[in-house]
Amino acid sequence: IVGTVTAVLVIVQAFAITDAVVPVFTGGATLEMVKPAIIVLAIAIGLRVIAAYASEALAFRAAANAKSQLRGGVLEHTMRLGPVWLSRLKSNELAALLTRGIDGLDAYFSRYLPQLVLAVTVPISVGIVIAIQDPLAAIIVLVTVPLIPLFMILVGLYTKKKVDRQWRVLGILSGHFGDVVAGMATLKAYGRASAQGQRVKEVGNEYRAATMGVLRVSFLSALVLELLAMLSIAMVAVSIGLRLVNGTMTLHAGLLILILIPEVYWPLRQIGAHFHASAEGLGAAGKMIEILSTTSPTSGERTDVPNLASSPIRFSDVCVRYGERDEFALHEATFDIAPGRITALVGPSGSGKSTVLAALERFIDPSSGVISIGDAPGTAIDEFAITSWRSAITWVGQDPQMIPGTIAQNIRLGAPTASDEDVLNALQSVKLDSVVAALPDGVGTIIGDGGHSLSVGQTRRVALARAFCRDAALVLLDEPTAALDSETESAILGAIAQLAQTRTIVMVAHRAAMIDMADDVIEFSVRESVQPAIDVERELAGAPL
């Protein structure tokens, strides 16, 4: 609407200037005689100022809303895609995308899109007036105006390659810098910190060169567009001048067209300038659209998830493939997870054990086959709503994450309504109550981002305490005792045994102590085949398998 009003005001302003100048120049009109035209001119200029202000305010407000929606949408979709998908993308690159990348769209939303509207309304409106006043000038405009968008497209295609390279280098720079900071201790220990610092400097120089390349194209494209507009205006001006000399055109028509002609090309030239200013943001937007178009794990509508402590879970010819990989991470897996028992998944790295947990957590959908729950034929787990399904399970990984906050807040991560008594009972179950009680603030002790105030074993026991607090019937454990001393391992195994009294437990296990405590063992091999479950009690009793 503001763009349309601006187009009308441009025409009114041109007529007001012409009506004020021509009578004075040709007929010696006095100030009183042209006063109405001057008043109209002043009003038109004032309204254009107001329209420009309104356009800026509305554009920046729209840009802020659009960026907020886009940032929130990408973040929410990333959460739906889950950690399996996120593991294929550097978190630093995603952070750069959601901050600097989206901020780069300011120029696109607040400058380029409004100018795009003006580039349609102003040339058409002004062009109609020019055609009425002078058809020859209108023909020149009609021939020359399309050249500007044509050159803009050609330059834009070239710019896209430059911007894509710039964003790719920025992703490498942010990811590499984040990796260097995260691994600083290791790099210092092996004397490689300075070498990696040099590598960061090299990538920074590559990013500088890519950015300067984009700016160079922007300046050159602006020169091309200005040259085209200038030559087009000059052609019209020469034509009008010759006809004024010959007396075949009135001064009123000639002056009006000369005032309006630059207004035809101005919005188009501005489009080119604003497009290049928003090019970096558009490059990031392409990455965001790619994320938003990624299919998330299937979520059904059922919320009546059966009790997983008393319902068997069946894998039937399940194949799982990560992303676009050709090979399967899990191939034709067929086995049962008995309810109310401890099932250990054993086998070499890369044989599909963690993939089984990811599939049970609904972080990834099987490429083929069915995971079902209940007696045969059972119900496919993808018929249940993901939120309902996940509310029935809990998970403890090899490297459990601690959020910035207190010990109690970390334990309540899976059960926000847990009471203080529940938190203390959970700590007691994992044999961590005495350690926490010795801390200055007890369960209110701040442990910092990543649990830096706790040892590895204590961090894993806090994660197990989360499982005790969370009323979930299925517990998934991914090597919870890896790289721990025997005393800490014994405490964790005791906690697992206590959990197993009322829940079904599925755990990835390498260490003998964990395998020995399992009721059932499912063996995986790197040849992507799965062996039938082994009943440990029957094996120990000498029963045939």
Side-chain angles (χ1 to χ4, degrees):
I1 293 173
V2 173
T4 303
V5 170
T6 301
V8 173
L9 290 173
V10 165
I11 297 172
V12 171
Q13 178 180 304
F15 271 100
I17 293 174
T18 305
D19 291 343
V21 171
V22 172
V24 175
F25 188 79
T26 58
T30 63
L31 181 62
E32 280 298 321
M33 297 173 65
V34 297
K35 189 175 181 180
I38 294 175
I39 293 174
V40 172
L41 176 61
I43 293 173
I45 292 174
L47 290 177
R48 282 194 71 177
V49 170
I50 295 173
Y53 174 81
S55 178
E56 290 282 309
L58 292 171
F60 278 105
R61 181 178 299 176
N65 290 336
K67 290 195 304 176
S68 177
Q69 292 176 18
L70 188 58
R71 184 177 283 116
V74 172
L75 188 59
E76 288 176 8
H77 194 66
T78 299
M79 299 296 285
R80 284 194 294 270
L81 291 173
V84 170
W85 174 85
L86 191 59
S87 64
R88 304 198 298 269
L89 183 72
K90 286 185 176 294
S91 58
N92 298 297
E93 183 178 350
L94 183 62
L97 191 66
L98 293 178
T99 51
R100 177 182 173 84
I102 290 183
D103 287 339
L105 287 170
D106 257 331
Y108 178 76
F109 287 119
S110 63
R111 301 289 186 187
Y112 177 71
L113 289 183
Q115 196 64 43
L116 203 59
V117 177
L118 290 177
V120 174
T121 58
V122 173
I124 290 178
S125 303
V126 173
I128 292 174
V129 175
I130 292 175
I132 294 173
Q133 298 292 324
D134 182 17
L136 179 59
I139 293 173
I140 296 174
V141 170
L142 192 62
V143 172
T144 57
V145 161
L147 293 176
I148 294 181
L150 177 62
F151 275 88
M152 282 174 54
I153 293 172
L154 295 176
V155 173
L157 293 174
Y158 182 69
T159 304
K160 185 178 183 301
K161 297 179 182 179
K162 294 285 187 179
V163 171
D164 288 344
R165 177 175 179 269
Q166 179 194 23
W167 183 252
R168 187 168 59 253
V169 174
L170 178 60
I172 295 172
L173 177 61
S174 59
H176 197 74
F177 182 77
D179 291 342
V180 168
V181 173
M184 185 61 70
T186 303
L187 293 172
K188 293 290 286 184
Y190 287 92
R192 298 295 298 169
S194 59
Q196 291 302 316
Q198 181 63 30
R199 176 56 183 156
V200 170
K201 183 179 179 181
E202 292 173 0
V203 178
N205 286 332
E206 290 182 27
Y207 178 65
R208 176 187 56 78
T211 302
M212 293 305 296
V214 173
L215 292 176
R216 182 165 55 251
V217 172
S218 299
F219 285 123
L220 290 176
S221 65
L223 174 63
V224 171
L225 297 180
E226 290 290 338
L227 182 62
L228 281 173
M230 180 182 67
L231 292 176
S232 302
I233 294 172
M235 290 174 61
V236 175
V238 169
S239 169
I240 291 173
L242 292 175
R243 283 181 289 163
L244 285 174
V245 171
N246 293 332
T248 57
M249 177 179 250
T250 64
L251 178 61
H252 187 279
L255 181 59
L256 179 64
I257 293 171
L258 284 176
I259 294 172
L260 288 176
I261 280 291
E263 299 291 350
V264 175
Y265 297 97
W266 173 252
L268 296 173
R269 286 148 54 192
Q270 289 298 104
I271 279 184
H274 293 319
F275 174 78
H276 289 292
S278 63
E280 182 180 351
L282 289 175
K287 300 289 184 182
M288 287 179 259
I289 291 172
E290 184 180 331
I291 292 175
L292 291 170
S293 62
T294 304
T295 304
S296 59
T298 306
S299 180
E301 298 181 355
R302 294 182 56 176
T303 58
D304 55 332
V305 179
N307 184 2
L308 301 184
S310 58
S311 302
I313 299 174
R314 179 173 293 105
F315 279 61
S316 302
D317 295 323
V318 174
C319 296
V320 178
R321 177 188 284 120
Y322 290 108
E324 303 299 325
R325 295 181 184 176
D326 294 330
E327 70 278 3
F328 287 104
L330 193 66
H331 184 62
E332 296 183 351
T334 300
F335 58 88
D336 293 345
I337 297 173
R341 294 166 70 86
I342 301 176
T343 300
L345 311 179
V346 301
S349 298
S351 57
K353 305 182 299 299
S354 295
T355 301
V356 171
L357 298 189
L360 287 174
E361 292 172 282
R362 302 298 318 283
F363 289 151
I364 189 169
D365 285 332
S367 305
S368 61
V370 178
I371 305 174
S372 58
I373 182 170
D375 297 326
T379 304
I381 65 173
D382 59 10
E383 294 184 18
F384 300 101
I386 285 182
T387 52
S388 300
W389 175 261
R390 288 179 184 159
S391 67
I393 65 175
T394 188
W395 171 81
V396 179
Q398 298 181 43
D399 186 22
Q401 296 299 307
M402 297 291 112
I403 62 172
T406 65
I407 293 176
Q409 288 173 334
N410 274 275
I411 293 175
R412 288 193 178 101
L413 190 62
T417 59
S419 63
D420 292 341
E421 184 179 357
D422 293 334
V423 172
L424 293 174
N425 289 337
L427 287 171
Q428 187 175 5
S429 299
V430 297
K431 305 294 188 295
L432 204 60
D433 52 326
S434 58
V435 175
V436 172
L439 296 175
D441 298 319
V443 293
T445 301
I446 303 283
I447 59 176
D449 188 11
H452 296 309
S453 302
L454 302 175
S455 67
V456 174
Q458 291 170 344
T459 300
R460 291 185 185 172
R461 280 191 274 177
V462 168
L464 272 175
R466 288 176 184 164
F468 275 95
C469 263
R470 184 174 172 84
D471 186 21
L474 177 63
V475 181
L476 306 178
L477 307 174
D478 192 356
E479 298 187 66
T481 63
L484 297 181
D485 59 84
S486 58
E487 184 178 348
T488 305
E489 180 184 42
S490 177
I492 290 178
L493 292 179
I496 293 173
Q498 187 175 344
L499 273 173
Q501 294 176 7
T502 56
R503 317 187 193 197
T504 298
I505 293 183
V506 180
M507 59 184 184
V508 173
H510 283 298
R511 301 179 70 157
M514 290 193 68
I515 298 174
D516 291 342
M517 76 176 297
D519 299 313
D520 302 313
V521 176
I522 300 176
E523 186 177 351
F524 293 74
S525 72
V526 290
R527 292 191 298 273
E528 301 175 328
S529 62
V530 180
Q531 304 301 326
I534 299 174
D535 190 317
V536 175
E537 294 178 359
R538 290 178 60 197
E539 184 181 34
L540 294 177
L545 295 177

